[in-house]
Amino acid sequence: MDDAKIVEVGMVLGVASSATQVEGGGVPHTWSDWFDRGRVRDGADPAVANEHFCRWRDDIDLMAEMGVGAYRLGIEWARLEPEKGRYDGAAAAWYLGLLGYMRERGIAPLVTLHHFTNPLWFEADGGFANYANIPVFLGFVEYAVRLFGDLAAEYVTVNEPNVFAVQGYHAGVFPPGLRSMRAALRVQSVMASCHVLAYDLIHRLRKEAGFTGTRVGFAHHARVFRPLSGGNLWHRFCARFVKYFFQGALARACLLGDFRFPLKRFASVKRGPKADFIGLNYYTRSSVSSFADGMAGGVPANDLGWEIFPPGIAECAGDLYALLPVPIYVTENGTCDNGDLFRCRYIHDHLKALSESRLPVQRYYHWSFTDNFEWCEGESARFGLVHVDFRTQKRTVKKSGRFYSAIIAAGGITARMFSEFVEPEVYRT
Ligand code: BGC
């Protein structure tokens, strides 16, 4: 049988995770504190997570066996700098060992410097709600970049400042649990400033050290915002307003150093292109009828109730590319599918949308490699290509993981792969 490719995948396919969500190992930080306060719904402890801190070698081996050649990983600030200005030598050695082993196994790292979690000492000083803390974050960036030397050439400075700010400072469901729109906007301004300054700093440090191949960006959580009813003027206004407040202003600030209302520029931030790639985290569409998030009825949805809207990945990538035409990295895309019942279809549909878009998408990092600690949902929301039995920590490659490996091996999706993995699956509405 002729097994023609029906989806060409020209980009590098990798996997993604973040430090707090996989490492475990009991580091005092904002999420261990959040757990202590009983704010993780199913009582899962981030001190356990995937026990990746002990099992890292096996995890990297599994990645390599699956044919994965690119891994977006996080580093835990609180592990590396447990007290302000005191860096932990053993933690540094652990990350060097991990990055070195990845290199040995042919897996290229994209290192995320901040992904939702703060050391407690930093949080006690006001965290990212405090402009005076910008140099403190930059101090950590400098330490990490010097430490990793030529083991890591590519960095994501900050992950999803909008989600971090909205969940922690407006919705109150992430630490520090506040409910203030003003504070959420200030956090976005501070984090965007951190990104812009870190961008310049990383380039300077690596250039001084004689390293080449540096690429720096931030991971932006972008959604499609649609009016719940297209004919309703108020819904249309809300969709535009929420899109701008949630992601539009932030994208402009981080990609171009152009801070416009409602964001504020930190004094030393200069305008200019501030990303070597567009980092896009895409999951869903919101259908809004007010200034809050919203969901349309009767549309495909994942196990957390998020709309599944594959064309949105190309729409969001296109919006960002129009602001700054640099290569696109999809730094996260995936779905909560506890039974692995529709993940293959989800992957197929999103890769197809990207490949048909004709945008310069160079990388796609699937979220996530393994099921992991999903923030307030704990272990109850599974996003992995690899199943984790949290009782025994046994890893088992899911059907979607086998599909992903097959796509990597074939450089696309063939008709046979489609009928084996995708065709039997349907989204639920
Ligand atoms: C975050 C991840 C998270 C994923 C699924 C993204 O917004 O960066 O940490 O696990 O969404 O909720």
Side-chain angles (χ1 to χ4, degrees):
M1 175 183 141
D2 177 29
D3 193 20
K5 263 189 220 161
I6 56 171
V7 180
E8 279 290 344
V9 176
M11 64 207 93
V12 171
L13 297 186
V15 292
S17 74
S18 83
T20 307
Q21 291 178 272
V22 298
E23 284 180 7
V27 184
H29 52 50
T30 40
W31 275 91
S32 56
D33 181 58
W34 208 232
F35 164 78
D36 289 343
R37 293 179 196 207
R39 299 297 301 269
V40 177
R41 274 184 209 126
D42 64 359
D45 187 349
V48 180
N50 287 173
E51 292 184 357
H52 177 70
F53 190 65
C54 313
R55 298 169 186 271
W56 58 278
R57 207 175 261 276
D58 292 344
D59 286 338
I60 298 301
D61 285 343
L62 181 57
M63 232 176 250
E65 276 160 35
M66 289 171 70
V68 173
Y71 176 31
R72 176 183 167 217
L73 73 159
I75 56 170
E76 193 66 87
W77 183 3
R79 188 186 296 286
L80 279 163
E81 192 179 357
E83 288 163 36
K84 190 172 183 176
R86 183 179 71 77
Y87 293 98
D88 186 290
W94 185 80
Y95 283 111
L96 290 176
L98 173 63
L99 288 168
Y101 192 60
M102 284 172 59
R103 291 270 181 212
E104 232 175 84
R105 298 301 322 248
I107 300 172
L110 170 61
V111 174
T112 307
L113 294 162
H114 186 273
H115 194 129
F116 291 173
T117 305
N118 291 336
L120 287 176
W121 58 262
F122 182 73
E123 190 74 356
D125 281 349
F128 288 99
N130 183 356
Y131 276 94
N133 277 336
I134 293 175
V136 180
F137 176 70
L138 294 176
F140 167 65
V141 171
E142 174 157 359
Y143 168 79
V145 171
R146 285 190 193 279
L147 173 71
F148 299 150
D150 215 15
L151 281 175
E154 301 199 352
Y155 289 91
V156 166
T157 53
V158 287
N159 182 71
E160 301 187 346
N162 51 356
V163 172
F164 177 80
V166 169
Q167 297 287 70
Y169 292 81
H170 175 56
V173 293
F174 278 15
L178 300 184
R179 288 179 170 273
S180 152
M181 183 48 94
R182 275 185 69 181
L185 289 170
R186 189 168 63 243
V187 167
Q188 288 200 39
S189 298
V190 173
M191 284 192 117
S193 305
C194 282
H195 160 72
V196 167
L197 294 169
Y199 175 86
D200 290 339
L201 174 66
I202 297 170
H203 274 285
R204 179 172 63 73
L205 291 172
R206 290 187 45 85
K207 195 166 169 211
E208 282 169 8
F211 296 137
T212 54
T214 309
R215 277 189 172 186
V216 184
F218 85 112
H220 191 29
H221 181 108
R223 295 178 181 191
V224 169
F225 285 95
R226 285 273 190 276
L228 183 61
S229 155
N232 183 313
L233 267 182
W234 172 246
H235 292 187
R236 282 170 37 196
F237 172 74
C238 291
R240 287 180 75 117
F241 180 91
V242 178
K243 181 177 178 187
Y244 179 75
F245 265 69
F246 182 67
Q247 66 199 35
L250 182 70
R252 188 169 272 282
C254 287
L255 296 176
L256 304 172
D258 179 9
F259 287 65
R260 296 189 183 177
F261 176 80
L263 302 183
K264 284 204 187 113
R265 195 175 61 88
F266 181 61
S268 58
V269 168
K270 305 262 174 319
R271 273 195 198 205
K274 298 296 176 187
D276 305 309
F277 56 84
I278 302 283
L280 169 65
N281 291 1
Y282 176 79
Y283 288 90
T284 189
R285 175 177 79 172
S286 291
S287 298
V288 299
S289 55
S290 69
F291 292 149
D293 193 12
M295 202 204 147
V299 296
N302 75 7
D303 290 353
L304 291 172
W306 303 357
E307 286 188 31
I308 297 175
F309 184 64
I313 196 168
E315 189 176 322
C316 290
D319 278 0
L320 296 170
Y321 187 72
L323 275 182
L324 184 65
V326 290
I328 296 162
Y329 290 8
V330 175
T331 33
E332 286 180 30
N333 174 241
T335 196
C336 177
D337 172 11
N338 288 335
D340 203 40
L341 302 175
F342 51 85
R343 186 172 285 105
C344 293
R345 183 166 284 278
Y346 185 99
I347 292 171
H348 163 270
D349 291 355
H350 287 78
L351 289 179
K352 184 163 184 277
L354 287 173
S355 82
E356 287 172 355
S357 72
R358 300 185 171 275
L359 289 162
V361 184
Q362 290 190 355
R363 311 263 181 89
Y364 170 96
Y365 294 89
H366 190 79
W367 186 274
S368 183
F369 177 51
T370 51
D371 298 331
N372 57 37
F373 174 78
E374 176 53 33
W375 309 114
C376 348
E377 307 293 336
E379 291 157 3
S380 319
R382 295 180 180 270
F383 280 77
L385 295 169
V386 174
H387 179 271
V388 175
D389 177 335
F390 288 101
R391 218 172 22 88
T392 60
Q393 289 291 340
K394 186 174 177 343
R395 275 71 161 149
T396 310
V397 179
K398 299 180 188 177
K399 176 182 143 196
S400 54
R402 285 188 285 114
F403 178 50
Y404 203 61
S405 294
I407 305 173
I408 294 173
I413 301 170
T414 66
R416 196 177 294 150
M417 284 157 62
F418 184 84
S419 62
E420 179 183 348
F421 292 100
V422 183
E423 209 156 37
E425 299 195 344
V426 279
Y427 295 130
R428 64 178 178 75
T429 50

